[in-house]
Amino acid sequence: MKNAPKTKMMDMTCVVCPIGCHLKVTVDENGNFLSVTGNRCPRGEAYAKEEITDPKRVLPTSVKVIGGELPLTSVRTEKAIPKRLIFSAMKVIKSIQVNAPVKRGQIILENILDTGVNVIATRTVKKQNGK
Amino acid sequence: MKVAVIGAGIVGSLIAREFTKYEIDVEVFEKLPDVGWGITKANSGILHAGYDDEPGTLRAKYCAKGNEMYDRLSKDLNFELKRIGSLVLAFSEEELNILKELEKRGKDNGVKGLKILNRIESLEVEPNLSREVISALYAPSAGIIAPWEAAQAAIENAVENGAMLHLSTEIKNISNENNQYVLDTSNGEFQFDMVINAAGLWADDLAEKTGVKVSPLHPRRGEYILLDQPGVVRTVIFPTPSEAGKGILVLPTVHDTVLLGPTSQDLPPTQKESTKTTFDGLSKIVKSAQKLVPAVNISKTIRTFAGLRPENDIKDFVLKREGNMMHVVATRSPGLSSAPAIAKDIVNDMLGDLEIKKRSDFNPHRAPLVKVIEMSDKERENIIAKNPSYGRVICRCNHVTEGEVVDAIRHGARTLDGIKFRTTAMFGRCQGSFCTVKIMKIMKRELGKNYEEIRKNLPNSQIVDGDVR
Amino acid sequence: MKKLKYDVVVLGGGAAGMGAINGALSQNVSVLLIEREASTGGVLNQCIHNGFGVHVFKQELSGPEYHEMYMEKLSRFDAMYETTVLNVDVKSNTLNTISISGVYEIKYGSLVLATGARERPFEALRIPGYRPAGVFTAGLAQHFVNLENRLPGHKAVIVGSGDIGLIMARRLTLEGVEVEGVYEIMPYQGGLTRNIVQCLDDFNIPLHLSTSIVEVHGKDRLEGVTVAKFENGHPVRKTERFVKCDTLVASVGLIPENDLVNETIELSDGSGANVDDLMRTNIYNVFAAGNNVCIHDLVDFAAVEGEIAGKNAAHVAKGKELPERMGILKKGEGVGLLSTKYTIAAEPFKLFVRVKKPMGTTILRLNDQKIKTVLAAKPSEMIEVKMDPSRYNMKGNLILSAMEVDKI
Ligand SMILES: Cc1cc2nc3c(=O)[nH]c(=O)nc-3n(C[C@H](O)[C@H](O)[C@H](O)COP(=O)(O)OP(=O)(O)OC[C@H]3O[C@@H](n4cnc5c(N)ncnc54)[C@H](O)[C@@H]3O)c2cc1C
Ligand SMILES: Cc1cc2nc3c(=O)[nH]c(=O)nc-3n(C[C@H](O)[C@H](O)[C@H](O)COP(=O)(O)OP(=O)(O)OC[C@H]3O[C@@H](n4cnc5c(N)ncnc54)[C@H](O)[C@@H]3O)c2cc1C
Ligand code: SF4
């Protein structure tokens, strides 16, 4: 006789819409998605699948500006990147700096960690007066 | 002739200023980074009329007299004094009898204008009083000040008249060599002909170090709640006093906020810095204050704080002279009210037989601080034309301008609290959540510091630490 | 004293103020913005996280992007920056300002109040203990980190689970500050669920419900806090625990900022301005929009309110009479907050509702008319209700209630 399949239940909250359904997700022993309950619409299932396989997040933070009116410009990843890469991405972002002026939307770092996603400035920073 | 004053609280500050009226060198030593940050920073700020001090005590001798002297001081030194009067409430016949005793005692102590009001008259003076009140003792001469402001003003004026101020300088020991007092301080040794020990809670320890025995001090903590509820009371409201003291009061401050407190909790002598607030203390304040004034709205809390009274077993001030050294010990309540009278007596006593001339060039005035919010439009226009920074409002709660913050720095503020206690920026309901950054920027510029070097108050009270990038 | 005159004066240039400028400009009137800070944007400037503009720009922007993109929509208007209004006189339709250029008296046709909100400071909570450095409101910590490039400390505790606190928990964690946990006195969260997930769960930051701080330690700089469980607003004995930290970030509520007008404008018990569906206050030519009316979760709604206020302010400034108020909205069972107090019952409008406590499937009723069913209602999440006078009776006393449907 084979062993009964080892499944695991996980709790999670869907954040796709403000209802925030409490999802119960079942995964197999390798962590693969099996089923979900508690979602009130199909978007919940899609969310649960991605959360199980490879959750993604937009990363907002800031980058040092040289010679600007402000010491920092705010930046974010243009699209969501895998959550597991967030701290590595922070390391990269912490190591860079840009020269003023910075324009909103300007690409600060291309293709971060080979995700295919750019880091863009989200604030315009003018040059400091007289510099 | 050189005199040292130890302690820049209200007592030491007024003594130092009094000495500068004579041809004598005055130096003030304060262990904290600013003037008036000891007991003087956290108390009720009342100039008591003087009716509840038992005749024969030093309290009775100095309170009403000192209170009266504040009129002149506040004009000369330009600090705010409001003579708002006080009411002691009675809720029963027994309490009314105590009010009658107080009235009589007040008359013996020379307190003017005391009057027992009936219920209706009491409610006319103070419409928000509890309807349970049956009578009240009205004392028109009670007043309020910001005590630290008075101390700062006195020291500033003393310095203008030649005194030297040593901040962040603690007296570690005092010895007597060849009729000279040697002060061993955290910043080196100094020699003086005469020393005044006005070290507040530590005055007993310092006296002890010179071999003088005084009854030891222990701290009695008083907790407070500060409310943003202007107008809820207009006078100082006391319950009928009991064994435990004057009780928990409701009073307006000179900044139009409302103060509830103080509690009264005796602590061991080892806890002379225990200015923390407690759950029990704060709960008690709420209950007692609402008994006097039910309209007190606790959801308007700005903050809480606590002060420490220097208490001894005889419940009175002790002025003890030993050679050319004077110890001012147990400056409990009403020490603030009494301070000007104490200062005058001490200086007279110390200089009594010596033939020291009064200075002809003594300037009693301290220039007023600019307060743009209190000016007329015309005055505002003129001052902004001369110095535009008086037009840039930094603190939105109390409308303090950049110019006033810069003034405070020029008048000696080196910390956020130094600015707060001079300008009232960060003093209001937002407690600095909007203006702190702006004020720190001005401090950086004016003092040539970086953010990490700026302190809230004490040496380790750093605000921020390190770059994000 | 210098004098100026404008059709519409907008006080405050945050999202609602920019919306008001937009609304007023669309009606071809003269517009003056008065802003205390050096630029427009308000709180958006320091909210560098994403999540803004889902409705107006159909994308998830950060606060600064939303600000810049909205400004690009606006044509020319006059503005006075770093200018503080000292008083508003609604009888003479004038206000007085002060700035480095001196003092001005400004006459307005209509006024739009868009002054936003301020944070309730930690000190207001009356938590016992010492009062050391290292205690920040979440907004102040956010300002230091995002605009001044300064870290507030190295080990933080967050008190209150409002959105700014949650956002700061993530922000500080990303910058290497250890966030020990978030402590919330209520049995439910204060902020949006998406922020709980993205800001706490993602980083394994624990959220302690029914728990708060009972003592602050440290005389100079914060050294730690004692936390304890709470029941019915009181600490439970023997549940105290010491938490070492050098930083305390308080996210304990935003209060609508109406200090300037609190003696003339009718305010709600939450101190927001009472307005009707045209965003008009009790004064015929004074309008209000944004966080000074009620605290919004979504910037778009603040901006849209501003647009409505600005447009109607322009109408009044041009002499047009607005319709009379027909209905009064009142909080009924289960309702904690309503964005609008009065209705003219002429056109459909959006009403924002907060419930008092978390509920499952909930039916909102206007008197006995069923107007909306929501699958889950939480105090932290505003419910948007379309109020349509062609469908509901919206005259007279209107009691809005929220009742949980019994689970079968
Ligand atoms: C809760 C409370 C309520 C009160 N209410 C009132 C009131 O309403 N009306 C009233 O009249 N009085 C009141 N009092 C009393 C009044 O506040 C005090 O009498 C007065 O402030 C004492 O001033 P001081 O200068 O003696 O002490 P402090 O202000 O403490 O000054 C002494 C200074 O000496 C410094 N110092 C100590 N040791 C050394 C050292 N070794 N070297 C250098 N410097 C040193 C200290 O740092 C301190 O700054 C109240 C007191 C308390 C605590
Ligand atoms: C931390 C935080 C996170 C948020 N996250 C999101 C999010 O992810 N997504 C989203 O959609 N929304 C979010 N919001 C909500 C949204 O951003 C706000 O509700 C909205 O920006 C408020 O705009 P406002 O114009 O009402 O107020 P504010 O932005 O506060 O603007 C008020 C302006 O008025 C000025 N002012 C005030 N008083 C005066 C005066 N007397 N004279 C002159 N000027 C004055 C102020 O300086 C300020 O510029 C968040 C809000 C906060 C606080
Ligand atoms: S499952 Fe559907 S209804 Fe539930 S929260 Fe997610 S998106 Fe909203």
Side-chain angles (χ1 to χ4, degrees):
Chain A
M1 280 291 285
K2 275 188 192 161
N3 285 340
K6 282 194 195 106
T7 61
K8 221 172 81 186
M9 286 272 268
M10 294 171 72
D11 286 312
M12 101 181 28
T13 309
C14 175
V15 295
V16 177
C17 90
I19 292 172
C21 293
H22 292 291
L23 310 181
K24 289 221 176 289
V25 189
T26 317
V27 294
D28 68 13
E29 62 225 271
N30 301 319
N32 295 318
F33 177 85
L34 291 176
S35 65
V36 60
T37 57
N39 55 317
R40 287 170 217 233
C41 83
R43 286 181 299 170
E45 180 172 338
Y47 171 80
K49 270 187 194 157
E50 192 183 77
E51 281 293 293
I52 296 296
T53 48
D54 199 6
K56 294 194 171 69
R57 300 285 186 264
V58 168
L59 173 62
T61 181
S62 33
V63 163
K64 183 161 190 165
V65 177
I66 307 297
E69 273 184 346
L70 293 169
L72 302 171
T73 177
S74 51
V75 301
R76 64 175 167 88
T77 55
E78 223 169 348
K79 288 191 233 126
I81 59 168
K83 193 172 106 180
R84 64 192 149 81
L85 294 179
I86 285 202
F87 280 101
S88 325
M90 279 303 292
K91 251 195 207 132
V92 178
I93 291 172
K94 279 180 191 181
S95 71
I96 56 178
Q97 52 188 41
V98 292
N99 290 315
V102 179
K103 266 198 69 166
R104 167 173 53 82
Q106 175 181 330
I107 295 175
I108 300 292
L109 189 67
E110 252 175 77
N111 185 18
I112 187 164
L113 300 171
D114 283 329
T115 51
V117 177
N118 299 328
V119 175
I120 58 166
T122 60
R123 187 199 304 278
T124 300
V125 181
K126 293 194 197 127
K127 272 193 179 179
Q128 202 174 18
N129 286 342
K131 277 202 185 161
Chain B
M1 172 70 71
K2 275 181 78 180
V3 60
V5 178
I6 305 171
I10 188 66
V11 174
S13 303
L14 288 173
I15 292 173
R17 175 175 182 266
E18 194 62 30
F19 271 123
T20 58
K21 293 178 179 169
Y22 297 88
E23 299 204 329
I24 177 172
D25 292 333
V26 185
E27 297 191 26
V28 183
F29 294 85
E30 169 57 56
K31 69 174 177 182
L32 293 172
D34 211 336
V35 173
W37 278 9
I39 309 167
T40 300
K41 196 184 189 186
N43 56 67
S44 308
I46 303 166
L47 305 181
H48 289 290
Y51 47 74
D52 54 3
D53 303 304
E54 303 82 358
T57 59
L58 288 180
R59 288 184 280 124
K61 176 176 173 190
Y62 288 122
C63 184
K65 212 157 123 203
N67 178 341
E68 219 176 296
M69 291 168 73
Y70 270 102
D71 280 327
R72 180 68 191 272
L73 276 175
S74 87
K75 281 199 195 85
D76 282 350
L77 298 177
N78 271 299
F79 62 84
E80 199 153 4
L81 158 60
K82 289 184 180 165
R83 292 267 175 220
I84 56 174
S86 67
L87 291 177
V88 187
L89 307 189
F91 290 94
S92 67
E93 287 301 320
E94 295 89 82
E95 291 189 343
L96 177 56
N97 288 334
I98 299 177
L99 295 196
K100 287 177 182 156
E101 270 171 49
L102 291 180
E103 187 191 24
K104 185 175 167 298
R105 197 187 290 166
K107 286 187 176 146
D108 293 344
N109 289 351
V111 181
K112 290 170 197 147
L114 284 177
K115 197 178 159 208
I116 292 199
L117 308 182
N118 66 26
R119 185 184 134 82
I120 303 289
E121 290 167 330
S122 313
L123 288 165
E124 269 167 17
V125 176
E126 206 56 89
N128 285 330
L129 288 187
S130 162
R131 301 277 139 171
E132 313 276 304
V133 70
I134 63 165
S135 178
L137 174 65
Y138 180 57
S141 61
I144 48 170
I145 63 171
W148 58 87
E149 192 191 357
Q152 284 157 3
I155 285 286
E156 245 180 64
N157 183 240
V159 169
E160 274 165 35
N161 284 304
M164 198 142 106
L165 173 64
H166 305 266
L167 289 173
S168 304
T169 308
E170 182 175 355
I171 308 300
K172 304 274 192 193
N173 208 355
I174 305 172
S175 50
N176 195 336
E177 289 166 24
N178 318 322
N179 281 333
Q180 287 273 301
Y181 294 95
V182 180
L183 302 192
D184 175 15
T185 83
S186 52
N187 281 325
E189 271 188 16
F190 298 81
Q191 291 202 0
F192 293 92
D193 303 304
M194 206 178 262
V195 175
I196 312 293
N197 163 14
L201 281 156
W202 284 270
D204 59 337
D205 295 352
L206 276 186
E208 193 99 349
K209 286 198 170 125
T210 65
V212 172
K213 274 252 166 276
V214 292
S215 60
L217 299 177
H218 72 272
R220 179 176 292 165
R221 185 159 56 206
E223 300 177 36
Y224 291 95
I225 298 175
L226 188 67
L227 296 185
D228 178 27
Q229 199 184 5
V232 69
V233 293
R234 301 180 291 214
T235 54
V236 181
I237 314 291
F238 295 91
T240 299
S242 68
E243 271 302 291
K246 296 190 189 89
I248 286 170
L249 336 171
V250 180
L251 70 143
T253 69
V254 289
H255 305 116
D256 277 339
T257 52
V258 173
L259 202 53
L260 315 179
T263 54
S264 188
Q265 188 189 1
D266 285 307
L267 301 177
T270 49
Q271 293 193 20
K272 287 182 176 175
E273 295 187 22
S274 184
T275 53
K276 64 180 185 183
T277 57
T278 64
F279 188 79
D280 291 344
L282 298 176
S283 317
K284 188 165 176 209
I285 293 171
V286 176
K287 237 197 251 139
S288 313
Q290 284 176 340
K291 185 167 174 256
L292 302 179
V293 183
V296 156
N297 182 353
I298 209 67
S299 74
K300 300 274 184 187
T301 298
I302 295 175
R303 65 179 299 120
T304 67
F305 61 91
L308 298 167
R309 310 168 181 87
E311 293 291 333
N312 59 7
D313 50 11
I314 57 165
K315 297 187 168 133
D316 200 7
F317 313 144
V318 173
L319 305 182
K320 192 155 188 172
R321 181 168 175 178
E322 197 69 50
N324 273 339
M325 185 153 175
M326 174 69 94
H327 304 281
V328 193
V329 192
T331 47
R332 67 197 299 280
S333 187
L336 173 68
S337 320
S338 311
I342 293 176
K344 187 138 207 121
D345 259 20
I346 286 180
V347 172
N348 281 342
D349 180 63
M350 297 305 283
L351 302 182
D353 322 326
L354 309 166
E355 302 218 328
I356 295 180
K357 275 198 282 191
K358 280 215 166 192
R359 281 178 48 179
S360 54
D361 59 348
F362 174 76
N363 172 13
H365 299 288
R366 179 189 73 141
L369 292 175
V370 172
K371 288 216 177 342
V372 175
I373 190 67
E374 286 166 15
M375 292 180 163
S376 69
D377 280 333
K378 190 83 220 135
E379 288 169 325
R380 286 178 188 150
E381 196 137 74
N382 289 339
I383 198 162
I384 295 169
K386 273 191 229 124
N387 179 351
S389 70
Y390 286 116
R392 190 180 276 127
V393 174
I394 297 294
C395 156
R396 56 168 81 172
C397 300
N398 292 334
H399 291 116
V400 178
T401 64
E402 177 173 5
E404 292 160 65
V405 173
V406 172
D407 287 348
I409 294 170
R410 307 231 160 113
H411 283 262
R414 291 293 175 271
T415 59
L416 281 176
D417 272 7
I419 287 171
K420 172 172 167 177
F421 282 84
R422 281 177 179 80
T423 63
T424 77
M426 305 174 281
F427 226 82
R429 65 189 89 72
C430 96
Q431 288 288 293
S433 55
F434 286 110
C435 54
T436 300
V437 177
K438 289 183 183 165
I439 290 171
M440 286 173 75
K441 277 191 178 157
I442 299 171
M443 290 172 79
K444 272 171 58 182
R445 184 189 72 208
E446 294 293 313
L447 298 168
K449 287 187 175 177
N450 62 37
Y451 275 130
E452 274 65 20
E453 288 167 328
I454 295 172
R455 297 289 176 269
K456 178 174 193 276
N457 40 41
L458 302 175
N460 293 322
S461 62
Q462 190 173 333
I463 314 288
V464 288
D465 192 22
D467 292 329
V468 173
R469 289 285 171 275
Chain C
M1 188 164 51
K2 288 155 252 180
K3 295 194 178 190
L4 292 171
K5 199 173 162 215
Y6 282 85
D7 294 328
V8 174
V9 171
V10 177
L11 263 193
M18 293 191 297
I21 295 167
N22 198 15
L25 288 176
S26 73
Q27 305 302 308
N28 291 317
V29 291
S30 62
V31 179
L32 173 70
L33 167 69
I34 304 177
E35 168 57 56
R36 186 158 47 194
E37 301 299 323
S39 79
T40 47
V43 72
L44 292 169
N45 287 312
Q46 64 184 66
C47 292
I48 67 165
H49 60 281
N50 54 306
F52 297 82
V54 197
H55 295 253
V56 170
F57 293 105
K58 309 280 178 242
Q59 32 175 333
E60 267 207 33
L61 303 166
S62 70
E65 285 173 294
Y66 187 100
H67 166 219
E68 289 185 24
M69 286 167 72
Y70 203 104
M71 282 302 282
E72 285 161 13
K73 286 178 35 160
L74 301 179
S75 51
R76 288 181 60 94
F77 61 93
D78 287 345
M80 295 167 80
Y81 293 109
E82 289 191 277
T83 300
T84 294
V85 177
L86 292 176
N87 67 292
V88 176
D89 182 357
V90 296
K91 290 210 181 75
S92 61
N93 299 327
T94 54
L95 47 84
N96 295 84
T97 67
I98 181 167
S99 68
I100 57 170
S101 344
V103 295
Y104 283 81
E105 182 185 279
I106 297 164
K107 200 167 175 71
Y108 57 81
S110 306
L111 179 65
V112 181
L113 304 168
T115 45
R118 62 190 157 80
E119 295 180 278
R120 174 175 293 123
F122 178 77
E123 289 81 352
L125 303 181
R126 291 191 305 282
I127 290 175
Y130 287 104
R131 299 160 294 284
V135 177
F136 302 81
T137 60
L140 179 58
Q142 192 176 43
H143 191 130
F144 271 124
V145 174
N146 292 345
L147 295 174
E148 299 301 322
N149 194 22
R150 298 319 318 141
L151 287 174
H154 304 287
K155 183 167 179 185
V157 156
I158 300 199
V159 57
S161 58
D163 283 313
I164 324 179
L166 302 177
I167 298 279
M168 282 315 289
R170 171 176 64 182
R171 188 77 196 99
L172 292 173
T173 306
L174 288 176
E175 298 307 339
V177 177
E178 184 191 343
V179 178
E180 194 274 343
V182 178
Y183 295 86
E184 168 60 59
I185 195 167
M186 300 302 281
Y188 47 84
Q189 76 214 35
L192 300 171
T193 303
R194 53 178 281 137
N195 285 337
I196 302 280
V197 173
Q198 294 183 32
C199 299
L200 302 188
D201 299 353
D202 275 3
F203 300 94
N204 298 318
I205 300 168
L207 168 62
H208 305 272
L209 296 174
S210 300
T211 311
S212 190
I213 296 175
V214 292
E215 187 168 350
V216 177
H217 305 272
K219 199 147 163 111
D220 294 27
R221 174 82 194 194
L222 184 68
E223 288 165 9
V225 293
T226 303
V227 298
K229 283 267 173 204
F230 273 68
E231 260 168 31
N232 307 320
H234 292 285
V236 181
R237 286 185 43 156
K238 302 246 163 72
T239 61
E240 294 92 350
R241 177 166 64 89
F242 178 79
V243 180
K244 199 171 169 233
C245 59
D246 63 8
T247 303
L248 182 60
V249 175
S251 178
V252 291
L254 294 170
I255 303 166
E257 170 86 71
N258 283 306
D259 288 343
L260 203 54
V261 292
N262 60 12
E263 273 157 26
T264 39
I265 300 295
E266 185 188 302
L267 302 181
S268 70
D269 48 11
S271 84
N274 278 341
V275 293
D276 58 28
D277 40 332
L278 304 177
M279 305 312 293
R280 178 150 75 166
T281 68
N282 55 312
I283 309 285
Y284 85 102
N285 61 346
V286 179
F287 296 74
N291 280 355
N292 46 306
V293 172
C294 78
I295 305 301
H296 286 280
D297 303 336
L298 289 184
V299 64
D300 294 328
F301 297 147
V304 168
E305 274 186 9
E307 286 165 18
I308 297 170
K311 192 170 134 198
N312 288 304
H315 288 324
V316 169
K318 285 199 288 189
K320 191 175 150 190
E321 294 248 342
L322 298 182
E324 255 178 71
R325 292 169 172 182
M326 305 302 290
I328 304 182
L329 280 156
K330 292 184 176 161
K331 291 185 280 186
E333 196 182 324
V335 172
L337 181 90
L338 294 175
S339 61
T340 308
K341 175 79 186 175
Y342 302 102
T343 159
I344 61 163
E347 307 244 353
F349 72 96
K350 272 184 196 159
L351 174 71
F352 299 104
V353 181
R354 275 188 209 278
V355 292
K356 269 193 185 144
K357 58 173 204 300
M359 294 189 280
T361 304
T362 299
I363 296 178
L364 301 185
R365 285 193 182 82
L366 192 62
N367 292 339
D368 50 7
Q369 316 162 81
K370 196 163 145 181
I371 53 170
K372 183 160 186 155
T373 306
V374 287
L375 294 177
K378 290 182 192 145
S380 57
E381 280 156 26
M382 262 186 170
I383 303 167
E384 186 187 339
V385 183
K386 197 162 172 206
M387 299 282 280
D388 185 345
S390 66
R391 292 181 57 197
Y392 316 121
N393 171 19
M394 285 180 14
K395 294 185 180 158
N397 277 330
L398 304 166
I399 298 179
L400 199 126
S401 61
M403 268 180 274
E404 190 166 8
V405 182
D406 285 337
K407 289 170 203 118
I408 311 157

